[in-house]
Amino acid sequence: MTVYMVERDLKGISMEALGNAQKAAISKAAEMTSNGTDISYLRSTFAPEDGRCMCLFDAASDVDVKRLNDDAGLPYHRIVPALDLTP
């Protein structure tokens, strides 16, 4: 498994919509995992001043992460491998 970072521009999003987007990512990851595609939503960081949002997923491939975000209807600019440096 590899950590992937999903970069998003969510400028102007309400906190309610942001929470709903997070729930959609978590729910879709659980659904995909139960259907045989091992993927986990890890966490997000949101900068409300400029709308940047970075979401981390643990998955076998960027294709799986792309499918999750596309199926959940979540916008993104790019998906890249990342290092999760949480202590």
Side-chain angles (χ1 to χ4, degrees):
M1 298 281 280
T2 301
V3 173
Y4 292 93
M5 182 173 63
V6 177
E7 300 178 8
R8 309 179 195 284
D9 177 9
L10 301 177
K11 191 167 183 84
I13 193 170
S14 70
M15 289 300 106
E16 180 181 2
L18 184 62
N20 288 338
Q22 183 182 43
K23 289 176 188 173
I26 293 167
S27 175
K28 185 54 72 173
E31 177 187 319
M32 289 175 67
T33 296
S34 71
N35 289 330
T37 301
D38 195 16
I39 187 167
S40 300
Y41 166 84
L42 299 176
R43 74 185 61 68
S44 295
T45 301
F46 178 62
E49 186 173 302
D50 64 5
R52 283 182 300 149
C53 187
M54 306 298 175
C55 301
L56 297 180
F57 294 85
D58 195 23
S61 73
D62 60 340
V63 172
D64 293 337
V65 177
K66 181 181 183 327
R67 183 166 56 101
L68 181 149
N69 284 273
D70 289 343
D71 289 355
L74 301 171
Y76 58 91
H77 291 295
R78 67 184 189 145
I79 298 168
V80 296
L83 299 176
D84 184 3
L85 303 177
T86 302

